[in-house]
Coordinates of all heavy atoms in Angstrom, one line a residue:
K1 N 0.8 -1.2 0.0 CA 0.0 0.0 0.0 C 0.9 1.2 0.0 O 0.6 2.2 -0.7 CB -0.9 0.0 1.2 CG -1.6 1.3 1.5 CD -2.4 1.2 2.8 CE -1.9 2.1 3.9 NZ -1.4 3.4 3.8
D2 N 1.9 1.3 0.8 CA 2.7 2.5 1.0 C 3.6 2.9 -0.2 O 3.9 4.0 -0.4 CB 3.5 2.4 2.3 CG 2.6 2.5 3.5 OD1 1.6 3.1 3.4 OD2 3.0 1.9 4.5
N3 N 4.0 1.9 -1.0 CA 4.9 2.2 -2.1 C 4.2 2.4 -3.4 O 4.8 2.5 -4.5 CB 5.9 1.1 -2.3 CG 5.3 -0.2 -2.7 OD1 4.1 -0.3 -2.9 ND2 6.2 -1.3 -2.9
K4 N 2.9 2.6 -3.4 CA 2.1 3.0 -4.5 C 2.1 1.9 -5.7 O 1.9 2.2 -6.8 CB 2.4 4.3 -5.1 CG 2.2 5.4 -4.1 CD 2.5 6.8 -4.6 CE 2.4 7.8 -3.5 NZ 2.8 9.1 -3.9
D5 N 2.4 0.7 -5.3 CA 2.4 -0.4 -6.3 C 1.0 -1.0 -6.2 O 0.7 -2.0 -5.5 CB 3.4 -1.4 -5.9 CG 3.5 -2.5 -7.0 OD1 2.6 -2.6 -7.9 OD2 4.4 -3.4 -6.9
F6 N 0.0 -0.4 -7.0 CA -1.4 -0.8 -6.9 C -1.6 -2.2 -7.4 O -2.5 -2.9 -6.9 CB -2.2 0.3 -7.6 CG -2.1 1.6 -7.0 CD1 -1.7 2.7 -7.7 CD2 -2.4 1.8 -5.6 CE1 -1.6 4.0 -7.1 CE2 -2.2 3.1 -5.0 CZ -1.8 4.2 -5.8
T7 N -0.9 -2.6 -8.4 CA -1.0 -4.0 -8.9 C -0.8 -5.0 -7.8 O -1.5 -5.9 -7.6 CB -0.1 -4.3 -10.1 OG1 -0.4 -3.3 -11.1 CG2 -0.3 -5.6 -10.6
T8 N 0.3 -4.8 -7.0 CA 0.6 -5.7 -5.9 C -0.4 -5.6 -4.8 O -0.8 -6.6 -4.2 CB 2.0 -5.4 -5.4 OG1 3.0 -5.5 -6.4 CG2 2.4 -6.3 -4.2
F9 N -1.0 -4.4 -4.6 CA -2.0 -4.2 -3.6 C -3.2 -5.1 -4.0 O -3.7 -5.9 -3.1 CB -2.5 -2.8 -3.6 CG -3.7 -2.5 -2.7 CD1 -3.5 -2.3 -1.3 CD2 -4.9 -2.4 -3.2 CE1 -4.6 -2.1 -0.5 CE2 -6.0 -2.2 -2.4 CZ -5.8 -2.0 -1.0
F10 N -3.7 -5.1 -5.2 CA -4.8 -5.9 -5.6 C -4.5 -7.4 -5.7 O -5.3 -8.2 -5.3 CB -5.4 -5.4 -6.9 CG -6.0 -4.1 -6.8 CD1 -5.5 -2.9 -7.4 CD2 -7.2 -3.9 -6.0 CE1 -6.0 -1.7 -7.3 CE2 -7.8 -2.6 -5.9 CZ -7.2 -1.5 -6.5
E11 N -3.3 -7.8 -6.1 CA -2.9 -9.2 -6.0 C -2.8 -9.7 -4.6 O -3.3 -10.8 -4.4 CB -1.5 -9.3 -6.7 CG -1.5 -9.2 -8.2 CD -0.1 -9.1 -8.8 OE1 0.9 -9.1 -8.1 OE2 0.0 -9.1 -10.0
T12 N -2.4 -8.9 -3.7 CA -2.3 -9.3 -2.3 C -3.7 -9.5 -1.7 O -4.0 -10.4 -1.0 CB -1.5 -8.3 -1.5 OG1 -0.2 -8.2 -2.0 CG2 -1.4 -8.7 0.0
Y13 N -4.6 -8.5 -2.1 CA -6.0 -8.7 -1.7 C -6.6 -10.0 -2.2 O -7.3 -10.7 -1.5 CB -6.9 -7.5 -2.1 CG -8.3 -7.8 -1.9 CD1 -8.9 -7.7 -0.6 CD2 -9.1 -8.2 -2.9 CE1 -10.2 -8.1 -0.4 CE2 -10.5 -8.5 -2.7 CZ -11.0 -8.5 -1.5 OH -12.3 -8.8 -1.2
D14 N -6.4 -10.2 -3.5 CA -6.9 -11.5 -4.1 C -6.4 -12.7 -3.4 O -7.2 -13.6 -3.1 CB -6.5 -11.5 -5.6 CG -7.3 -10.5 -6.4 OD1 -8.4 -10.0 -6.0 OD2 -6.8 -10.3 -7.6
E15 N -5.2 -12.7 -3.0 CA -4.6 -13.8 -2.3 C -5.2 -14.0 -0.9 O -5.6 -15.1 -0.5 CB -3.1 -13.7 -2.1 CG -2.4 -14.8 -1.5 CD -0.9 -14.6 -1.4 OE1 -0.3 -14.0 -2.2 OE2 -0.3 -15.2 -0.4
L16 N -5.4 -12.9 -0.2 CA -6.1 -12.8 1.1 C -7.5 -13.4 1.0 O -7.9 -14.2 1.8 CB -6.1 -11.4 1.7 CG -6.9 -11.2 3.0 CD1 -6.2 -11.9 4.2 CD2 -7.0 -9.7 3.2
H17 N -8.2 -12.9 0.0 CA -9.5 -13.3 -0.3 C -9.6 -14.8 -0.6 O -10.5 -15.6 0.0 CB -10.1 -12.5 -1.4 CG -11.5 -12.9 -1.7 ND1 -12.6 -12.7 -0.8 CD2 -12.1 -13.3 -2.9 CE1 -13.7 -13.1 -1.4 NE2 -13.4 -13.5 -2.6
R18 N -8.7 -15.3 -1.4 CA -8.7 -16.8 -1.7 C -8.5 -17.6 -0.5 O -9.1 -18.6 -0.3 CB -7.6 -17.1 -2.8 CG -8.0 -16.9 -4.2 CD -7.0 -17.5 -5.2 NE -5.6 -17.0 -5.0 CZ -5.1 -15.9 -5.5 NH1 -5.9 -15.1 -6.2 NH2 -3.9 -15.6 -5.3
E19 N -7.5 -17.2 0.4 CA -7.2 -17.9 1.6 C -8.5 -17.9 2.5 O -8.7 -18.9 3.2 CB -6.0 -17.3 2.3 CG -4.7 -17.5 1.6 CD -4.4 -19.0 1.5 OE1 -4.6 -19.7 2.5 OE2 -3.9 -19.4 0.4
A20 N -9.2 -16.8 2.6 CA -10.3 -16.7 3.5 C -11.4 -17.7 3.0 O -12.1 -18.4 3.7 CB -10.9 -15.3 3.6
K21 N -11.7 -17.6 1.6 CA -12.7 -18.5 1.0 C -12.3 -20.0 1.3 O -13.1 -20.8 1.6 CB -12.8 -18.3 -0.5 CG -13.6 -17.1 -0.8 CD -13.7 -16.8 -2.3 CE -13.8 -17.9 -3.2 NZ -13.8 -17.5 -4.6
K22 N -11.0 -20.3 1.2 CA -10.5 -21.7 1.4 C -10.8 -22.1 2.8 O -11.2 -23.2 3.1 CB -9.0 -21.7 1.1 CG -8.4 -23.1 1.1 CD -6.9 -22.8 0.9 CE -6.2 -23.9 0.1 NZ -4.8 -23.7 0.0
R23 N -10.5 -21.2 3.8 CA -10.7 -21.5 5.2 C -12.1 -21.8 5.5 O -12.4 -22.6 6.4 CB -10.2 -20.2 6.0 CG -10.3 -20.4 7.5 CD -9.7 -19.2 8.2 NE -9.9 -19.3 9.6 CZ -10.7 -18.5 10.3 NH1 -11.3 -17.5 9.7 NH2 -10.9 -18.7 11.5
F24 N -13.0 -21.2 4.8 CA -14.5 -21.5 5.0 C -15.0 -22.5 4.0 O -16.2 -22.7 3.9 CB -15.3 -20.2 4.9 CG -15.1 -19.3 6.1 CD1 -14.1 -18.3 6.2 CD2 -15.9 -19.5 7.3 CE1 -14.0 -17.5 7.3 CE2 -15.8 -18.7 8.4 CZ -14.8 -17.7 8.4
S25 N -14.1 -23.1 3.2 CA -14.5 -24.1 2.2 C -15.5 -23.6 1.2 O -16.4 -24.3 0.8 CB -15.0 -25.4 2.9 OG -14.1 -25.9 3.7
A26 N -15.4 -22.3 0.9 CA -16.3 -21.7 -0.1 C -15.7 -21.8 -1.5 O -14.5 -21.6 -1.7 CB -16.6 -20.2 0.2
T27 N -16.5 -22.2 -2.5 CA -16.1 -22.3 -3.8 C -16.4 -21.1 -4.7 O -15.9 -21.0 -5.8 CB -16.6 -23.6 -4.5 OG1 -18.0 -23.5 -4.4 CG2 -16.1 -24.8 -3.7
S28 N -17.2 -20.2 -4.2 CA -17.6 -19.0 -5.0 C -17.8 -17.9 -4.1 O -17.9 -18.0 -2.9 CB -18.9 -19.3 -5.8 OG -20.0 -19.3 -4.9
D29 N -17.8 -16.7 -4.6 CA -18.0 -15.5 -3.8 C -19.4 -15.4 -3.2 O -19.5 -15.0 -2.0 CB -17.8 -14.2 -4.7 CG -16.3 -14.0 -5.0 OD1 -15.4 -14.6 -4.3 OD2 -16.0 -13.2 -5.9
S30 N -20.4 -15.9 -3.9 CA -21.7 -15.9 -3.3 C -21.8 -16.9 -2.2 O -22.5 -16.6 -1.2 CB -22.8 -16.1 -4.4 OG -22.6 -17.4 -5.0
E31 N -21.2 -18.0 -2.4 CA -21.2 -19.0 -1.3 C -20.4 -18.5 -0.1 O -20.8 -18.6 1.1 CB -20.5 -20.3 -1.7 CG -20.5 -21.4 -0.7 CD -19.9 -22.7 -1.1 OE1 -19.1 -22.7 -2.1 OE2 -20.1 -23.7 -0.5
F32 N -19.3 -17.8 -0.3 CA -18.5 -17.2 0.8 C -19.4 -16.2 1.5 O -19.4 -16.1 2.8 CB -17.3 -16.5 0.2 CG -16.4 -15.9 1.2 CD1 -15.8 -16.7 2.2 CD2 -16.0 -14.6 1.2 CE1 -15.0 -16.2 3.2 CE2 -15.2 -14.0 2.1 CZ -14.6 -14.8 3.1
R33 N -20.1 -15.3 0.8 CA -21.0 -14.3 1.4 C -22.1 -15.0 2.3 O -22.4 -14.6 3.4 CB -21.6 -13.4 0.4 CG -22.4 -12.3 1.0 CD -22.9 -11.4 0.0 NE -23.8 -10.4 0.6 CZ -24.7 -9.7 0.0 NH1 -24.9 -9.8 -1.3 NH2 -25.5 -8.9 0.7
S34 N -22.7 -16.1 1.8 CA -23.7 -16.8 2.5 C -23.1 -17.4 3.8 O -23.7 -17.4 4.9 CB -24.3 -18.0 1.7 OG -25.0 -17.5 0.6
I35 N -21.9 -18.0 3.7 CA -21.2 -18.5 4.9 C -20.9 -17.4 5.9 O -21.1 -17.6 7.1 CB -19.9 -19.3 4.5 CG1 -20.3 -20.6 3.7 CG2 -19.1 -19.6 5.7 CD1 -19.1 -21.2 3.0
L36 N -20.5 -16.3 5.4 CA -20.2 -15.2 6.3 C -21.5 -14.8 7.0 O -21.4 -14.5 8.2 CB -19.6 -14.0 5.5 CG -18.2 -14.0 5.0 CD1 -17.8 -12.8 4.3 CD2 -17.3 -14.3 6.2
E37 N -22.6 -14.7 6.3 CA -23.8 -14.3 6.9 C -24.2 -15.3 8.0 O -24.7 -14.9 9.1 CB -24.9 -14.2 5.9 CG -26.2 -13.6 6.4 CD -27.1 -13.2 5.3 OE1 -26.8 -13.2 4.1 OE2 -28.3 -12.8 5.6
Q38 N -24.0 -16.6 7.7 CA -24.4 -17.6 8.7 C -23.4 -17.6 9.9 O -23.9 -17.9 11.0 CB -24.3 -19.0 8.1 CG -25.4 -19.2 7.0 CD -25.1 -20.5 6.2 OE1 -24.3 -21.3 6.5 NE2 -25.9 -20.6 5.1
T39 N -22.1 -17.4 9.7 CA -21.2 -17.5 10.8 C -20.8 -16.2 11.4 O -20.4 -16.2 12.6 CB -19.9 -18.2 10.3 OG1 -19.3 -17.4 9.2 CG2 -20.1 -19.6 9.8
K40 N -20.8 -15.1 10.7 CA -20.4 -13.9 11.2 C -21.5 -12.8 11.3 O -21.3 -11.7 11.9 CB -19.2 -13.3 10.4 CG -18.0 -14.2 10.2 CD -17.3 -14.4 11.5 CE -16.1 -15.3 11.4 NZ -15.4 -15.5 12.6
G41 N -22.6 -13.1 10.7 CA -23.8 -12.2 10.8 C -23.9 -11.4 9.5 O -23.1 -11.3 8.7
Q42 N -25.1 -10.8 9.4 CA -25.5 -10.0 8.2 C -24.6 -8.8 8.0 O -24.3 -8.5 6.9 CB -27.0 -9.6 8.4 CG -27.3 -8.6 7.3 CD -28.6 -8.9 6.6 OE1 -29.4 -9.6 7.1 NE2 -28.7 -8.5 5.3
Q43 N -24.2 -8.1 9.1 CA -23.4 -6.9 8.9 C -22.1 -7.2 8.3 O -21.7 -6.5 7.4 CB -23.2 -6.3 10.3 CG -22.5 -5.0 10.2 CD -22.3 -4.2 11.5 OE1 -22.7 -4.7 12.5 NE2 -21.7 -3.1 11.5
V44 N -21.4 -8.3 8.7 CA -20.1 -8.6 8.1 C -20.3 -9.1 6.6 O -19.5 -8.7 5.8 CB -19.4 -9.8 8.9 CG1 -18.2 -10.3 8.2 CG2 -19.0 -9.2 10.3
A45 N -21.4 -9.8 6.4 CA -21.7 -10.2 5.0 C -21.9 -9.0 4.1 O -21.4 -9.0 3.0 CB -22.8 -11.2 5.0
E46 N -22.6 -8.0 4.6 CA -22.9 -6.8 3.8 C -21.7 -6.0 3.6 O -21.4 -5.5 2.6 CB -24.0 -6.0 4.5 CG -24.5 -4.8 3.7 CD -25.0 -5.1 2.3 OE1 -25.6 -6.2 2.1 OE2 -24.9 -4.3 1.4
Q47 N -20.8 -5.9 4.7 CA -19.6 -5.2 4.5 C -18.7 -5.8 3.5 O -18.0 -5.2 2.7 CB -18.8 -5.2 5.9 CG -19.4 -4.2 6.9 CD -18.8 -4.4 8.2 OE1 -18.0 -5.3 8.5 NE2 -19.0 -3.4 9.1
Y48 N -18.7 -7.2 3.4 CA -17.9 -7.9 2.4 C -18.5 -7.6 1.0 O -17.7 -7.3 0.1 CB -18.0 -9.4 2.7 CG -17.6 -10.2 1.5 CD1 -16.2 -10.3 1.2 CD2 -18.5 -10.9 0.7 CE1 -15.8 -11.0 0.0 CE2 -18.1 -11.6 -0.4 CZ -16.8 -11.6 -0.7 OH -16.4 -12.3 -1.9
H49 N -19.8 -7.6 0.9 CA -20.4 -7.3 -0.4 C -20.0 -5.9 -0.9 O -19.7 -5.7 -2.1 CB -21.9 -7.5 -0.3 CG -22.7 -7.2 -1.5 ND1 -22.6 -8.0 -2.7 CD2 -23.5 -6.1 -1.8 CE1 -23.3 -7.4 -3.6 NE2 -23.9 -6.3 -3.1
V50 N -20.1 -4.9 0.0 CA -19.8 -3.5 -0.4 C -18.3 -3.4 -0.8 O -17.9 -2.8 -1.8 CB -20.2 -2.6 0.8 CG1 -19.6 -1.2 0.5 CG2 -21.7 -2.5 0.9
L51 N -17.5 -4.1 0.1 CA -16.0 -4.0 -0.2 C -15.7 -4.7 -1.6 O -14.9 -4.1 -2.4 CB -15.2 -4.8 0.9 CG -13.8 -5.0 0.6 CD1 -13.0 -3.6 0.5 CD2 -13.1 -5.9 1.7
S52 N -16.3 -5.8 -1.9 CA -16.1 -6.5 -3.2 C -16.4 -5.6 -4.3 O -15.7 -5.5 -5.3 CB -17.0 -7.7 -3.3 OG -16.6 -8.7 -2.3
G53 N -17.5 -4.8 -4.2 CA -17.9 -3.9 -5.3 C -16.8 -2.8 -5.4 O -16.4 -2.4 -6.5
K54 N -16.4 -2.2 -4.3 CA -15.4 -1.1 -4.3 C -14.1 -1.6 -4.9 O -13.5 -0.9 -5.7 CB -15.2 -0.6 -2.9 CG -16.3 0.2 -2.4 CD -16.0 0.8 -1.0 CE -17.1 1.7 -0.5 NZ -16.8 2.3 0.8
I55 N -13.7 -2.8 -4.5 CA -12.5 -3.4 -5.0 C -12.5 -3.5 -6.6 O -11.6 -3.2 -7.3 CB -12.2 -4.8 -4.4 CG1 -11.8 -4.6 -2.9 CG2 -11.1 -5.6 -5.2 CD1 -10.4 -4.2 -2.7
Q56 N -13.7 -4.1 -7.1 CA -13.8 -4.2 -8.5 C -13.7 -2.9 -9.3 O -13.1 -2.8 -10.3 CB -15.1 -5.0 -8.9 CG -15.1 -6.4 -8.5 CD -13.9 -7.2 -9.0 OE1 -13.6 -7.1 -10.2 NE2 -13.1 -7.8 -8.2
I57 N -14.4 -1.9 -8.7 CA -14.4 -0.6 -9.3 C -13.0 0.0 -9.3 O -12.5 0.5 -10.4 CB -15.3 0.4 -8.6 CG1 -16.8 0.0 -8.9 CG2 -15.1 1.8 -9.0 CD1 -17.8 0.6 -8.0
E58 N -12.3 0.0 -8.2 CA -11.0 0.6 -8.1 C -9.9 -0.2 -8.9 O -9.0 0.3 -9.5 CB -10.6 0.7 -6.6 CG -9.4 1.6 -6.3 CD -9.7 3.0 -6.7 OE1 -10.8 3.5 -6.5 OE2 -8.7 3.7 -7.3
K59 N -10.1 -1.6 -8.9 CA -9.1 -2.4 -9.5 C -9.0 -2.1 -11.0 O -7.9 -2.1 -11.6 CB -9.5 -3.9 -9.3 CG -8.5 -4.9 -9.8 CD -9.1 -6.3 -9.7 CE -8.2 -7.3 -9.1 NZ -8.8 -8.6 -8.9
F60 N -10.2 -1.8 -11.6 CA -10.2 -1.6 -13.1 C -10.3 -0.1 -13.5 O -10.4 0.2 -14.6 CB -11.3 -2.4 -13.7 CG -11.1 -3.9 -13.5 CD1 -11.8 -4.6 -12.6 CD2 -10.1 -4.5 -14.2 CE1 -11.6 -5.9 -12.4 CE2 -9.9 -5.9 -14.1 CZ -10.6 -6.6 -13.1
A61 N -10.1 0.8 -12.5 CA -10.1 2.2 -12.8 C -8.8 2.6 -13.5 O -7.8 2.0 -13.2 CB -10.2 3.0 -11.5
P62 N -8.9 3.5 -14.5 CA -7.7 3.9 -15.2 C -6.7 4.6 -14.3 O -5.5 4.5 -14.6 CB -8.2 4.8 -16.3 CG -9.6 5.2 -15.9 CD -10.1 4.2 -14.9
F63 N -7.1 5.3 -13.3 CA -6.2 5.9 -12.4 C -6.7 5.6 -11.0 O -7.9 5.4 -10.7 CB -6.3 7.5 -12.6 CG -5.9 7.9 -13.9 CD1 -6.9 8.2 -14.9 CD2 -4.6 7.9 -14.4 CE1 -6.6 8.6 -16.2 CE2 -4.3 8.3 -15.6 CZ -5.2 8.6 -16.5
H64 N -5.7 5.5 -10.1 CA -6.0 5.2 -8.7 C -5.8 6.4 -7.8 O -4.8 7.1 -7.9 CB -5.1 4.0 -8.2 CG -5.4 2.8 -9.0 ND1 -6.5 2.1 -8.9 CD2 -4.6 2.1 -9.8 CE1 -6.4 1.0 -9.7 NE2 -5.3 1.0 -10.3
N65 N -6.8 6.6 -7.0 CA -6.7 7.7 -6.0 C -6.1 7.1 -4.7 O -6.6 6.2 -4.1 CB -8.2 8.2 -5.7 CG -8.3 9.2 -4.7 OD1 -7.6 9.2 -3.7 ND2 -9.2 10.1 -4.9
E66 N -5.0 7.7 -4.3 CA -4.3 7.2 -3.1 C -5.1 7.2 -1.9 O -5.1 6.2 -1.1 CB -3.0 8.0 -2.9 CG -2.1 7.3 -1.9 CD -0.7 8.0 -1.8 OE1 -0.4 8.8 -2.7 OE2 0.0 7.7 -0.9
E67 N -6.0 8.2 -1.7 CA -6.9 8.3 -0.6 C -7.9 7.1 -0.6 O -8.1 6.5 0.4 CB -7.6 9.6 -0.6 CG -8.4 9.9 0.6 CD -9.1 11.2 0.6 OE1 -8.4 12.2 0.2 OE2 -10.3 11.3 1.0
E68 N -8.4 6.8 -1.8 CA -9.3 5.7 -1.9 C -8.7 4.3 -1.6 O -9.2 3.4 -1.0 CB -10.0 5.6 -3.3 CG -11.1 4.6 -3.4 CD -12.2 4.7 -2.4 OE1 -12.6 5.9 -2.0 OE2 -12.8 3.7 -2.1
I69 N -7.4 4.2 -2.1 CA -6.7 2.9 -1.8 C -6.4 2.8 -0.3 O -6.5 1.7 0.2 CB -5.3 2.9 -2.6 CG1 -5.6 2.9 -4.1 CG2 -4.5 1.7 -2.2 CD1 -6.3 1.6 -4.6
T70 N -6.1 3.9 0.3 CA -5.8 3.9 1.8 C -7.1 3.5 2.5 O -7.1 2.7 3.4 CB -5.3 5.2 2.3 OG1 -4.1 5.5 1.6 CG2 -5.1 5.2 3.8
N71 N -8.3 4.0 2.0 CA -9.6 3.7 2.6 C -9.9 2.2 2.4 O -10.3 1.5 3.4 CB -10.6 4.6 2.0 CG -12.0 4.3 2.6 OD1 -12.1 4.2 3.8 ND2 -13.0 4.3 1.7
L72 N -9.6 1.7 1.2 CA -9.8 0.3 1.0 C -8.9 -0.6 1.9 O -9.4 -1.6 2.4 CB -9.5 -0.1 -0.5 CG -10.6 0.3 -1.5 CD1 -10.1 0.0 -2.9 CD2 -11.9 -0.4 -1.3
Y73 N -7.7 -0.2 2.0 CA -6.8 -0.9 2.9 C -7.3 -1.0 4.3 O -7.3 -2.1 4.9 CB -5.4 -0.2 2.8 CG -4.4 -0.8 3.8 CD1 -3.7 -2.0 3.5 CD2 -4.2 -0.2 5.1 CE1 -2.8 -2.5 4.4 CE2 -3.3 -0.8 6.0 CZ -2.7 -1.9 5.7 OH -1.8 -2.5 6.6
N74 N -7.8 0.1 4.8 CA -8.3 0.1 6.2 C -9.6 -0.8 6.3 O -9.7 -1.5 7.3 CB -8.6 1.5 6.6 CG -7.3 2.3 6.8 OD1 -6.3 1.8 7.1 ND2 -7.4 3.6 6.6
I75 N -10.4 -0.7 5.3 CA -11.7 -1.6 5.3 C -11.3 -3.0 5.2 O -11.8 -3.9 6.0 CB -12.6 -1.2 4.1 CG1 -13.2 0.2 4.3 CG2 -13.7 -2.2 4.0 CD1 -13.9 0.8 3.1
I76 N -10.4 -3.4 4.3 CA -9.9 -4.8 4.2 C -9.3 -5.2 5.5 O -9.6 -6.3 6.0 CB -8.8 -4.9 3.1 CG1 -9.5 -4.7 1.7 CG2 -8.1 -6.2 3.1 CD1 -8.5 -4.4 0.6
N77 N -8.4 -4.4 6.1 CA -7.8 -4.8 7.4 C -8.8 -5.1 8.4 O -8.7 -6.1 9.1 CB -6.8 -3.7 7.8 CG -5.9 -4.1 8.8 OD1 -5.5 -5.3 9.0 ND2 -5.4 -3.1 9.6
N78 N -9.8 -4.2 8.6 CA -10.8 -4.4 9.7 C -11.7 -5.5 9.4 O -12.0 -6.4 10.3 CB -11.6 -3.1 9.8 CG -10.8 -1.9 10.4 OD1 -9.8 -2.2 11.1 ND2 -11.2 -0.7 10.1
L79 N -12.2 -5.6 8.1 CA -13.2 -6.7 7.8 C -12.5 -8.1 7.9 O -13.1 -9.0 8.5 CB -13.7 -6.4 6.4 CG -14.7 -7.5 5.9 CD1 -15.9 -7.6 6.8 CD2 -15.1 -7.2 4.5
Y80 N -11.3 -8.2 7.3 CA -10.7 -9.6 7.3 C -10.2 -9.9 8.7 O -10.1 -11.1 9.1 CB -9.7 -9.7 6.3 CG -10.3 -10.0 4.9 CD1 -10.8 -9.0 4.1 CD2 -10.4 -11.3 4.5 CE1 -11.4 -9.3 2.9 CE2 -11.0 -11.6 3.3 CZ -11.5 -10.6 2.5 OH -12.2 -10.9 1.3
S81 N -10.0 -8.9 9.6 CA -9.7 -9.2 11.0 C -10.9 -9.8 11.6 O -10.8 -10.8 12.4 CB -9.2 -8.0 11.7 OG -8.0 -7.5 11.3
D82 N -12.1 -9.2 11.4 CA -13.4 -9.8 11.9 C -13.6 -11.2 11.3 O -14.1 -12.1 12.0 CB -14.5 -8.9 11.5 CG -14.5 -7.6 12.3 OD1 -13.8 -7.5 13.3 OD2 -15.3 -6.7 12.0
I83 N -13.4 -11.3 10.0 CA -13.7 -12.6 9.4 C -12.8 -13.7 10.0 O -13.3 -14.9 10.2 CB -13.5 -12.5 7.9 CG1 -14.6 -11.7 7.2 CG2 -13.4 -13.9 7.2 CD1 -14.4 -11.4 5.8
N84 N -11.6 -13.4 10.3 CA -10.6 -14.4 10.8 C -10.6 -14.6 12.3 O -9.9 -15.4 12.8 CB -9.2 -14.1 10.3 CG -9.1 -14.3 8.8 OD1 -9.6 -15.2 8.2 ND2 -8.4 -13.3 8.1
K85 N -11.5 -14.0 13.0 CA -11.7 -14.2 14.4 C -12.3 -15.5 14.7 O -13.1 -16.0 14.0 CB -12.5 -13.1 15.1 CG -11.8 -11.8 15.3 CD -12.7 -10.8 16.0 CE -12.0 -9.5 16.0 NZ -12.9 -8.4 16.6

């Protein structure tokens, strides 16, 4: 995040996401969201859904706003900390 290597940022997120899905034995994003809702509650599942949308928008944006990337980093950090509890 700090060295402005946005490609690595998104690759690292994808790896984190794959590991979390694997931990919950989810084979798809929708299954992962359902499992989150069952095990962590609706709020965490909704936060995940919103984050996924933001990641997709930012990942394919022609330019990256450093403030938005920092915001995503903080959301990812907090959400995945909750998921992995």
Side-chain angles (χ1 to χ4, degrees):
K1 166 186 111 47
D2 292 329
N3 66 1
K4 298 182 185 175
D5 185 352
F6 299 121
T7 301
T8 301
F9 174 83
F10 291 112
E11 287 171 353
T12 303
Y13 169 76
D14 288 342
E15 184 178 331
L16 174 70
H17 181 60
R18 275 192 306 276
E19 288 299 317
K21 279 176 40 180
K22 186 186 215 180
R23 183 171 172 250
F24 286 93
S25 302
T27 56
S28 69
D29 287 343
S30 60
E31 182 181 19
F32 183 59
R33 184 174 175 202
S34 294
I35 291 169
L36 286 179
E37 192 167 348
Q38 293 167 9
T39 60
K40 303 295 180 176
Q42 169 130 26
Q43 183 177 2
V44 170
E46 186 59 29
Q47 287 173 344
Y48 164 74
H49 178 68
V50 170
L51 172 64
S52 295
K54 287 181 178 184
I55 289 284
Q56 290 305 309
I57 290 168
E58 196 61 40
K59 187 184 224 179
F60 297 105
F63 301 101
H64 298 292
N65 176 325
E66 191 170 345
E67 187 177 316
E68 185 60 29
I69 295 295
T70 299
N71 184 42
L72 284 176
Y73 173 81
N74 292 330
I75 293 169
I76 291 166
N77 195 27
N78 291 333
L79 180 58
Y80 279 82
S81 290
D82 287 346
I83 289 171
N84 289 320
K85 282 183 185 172

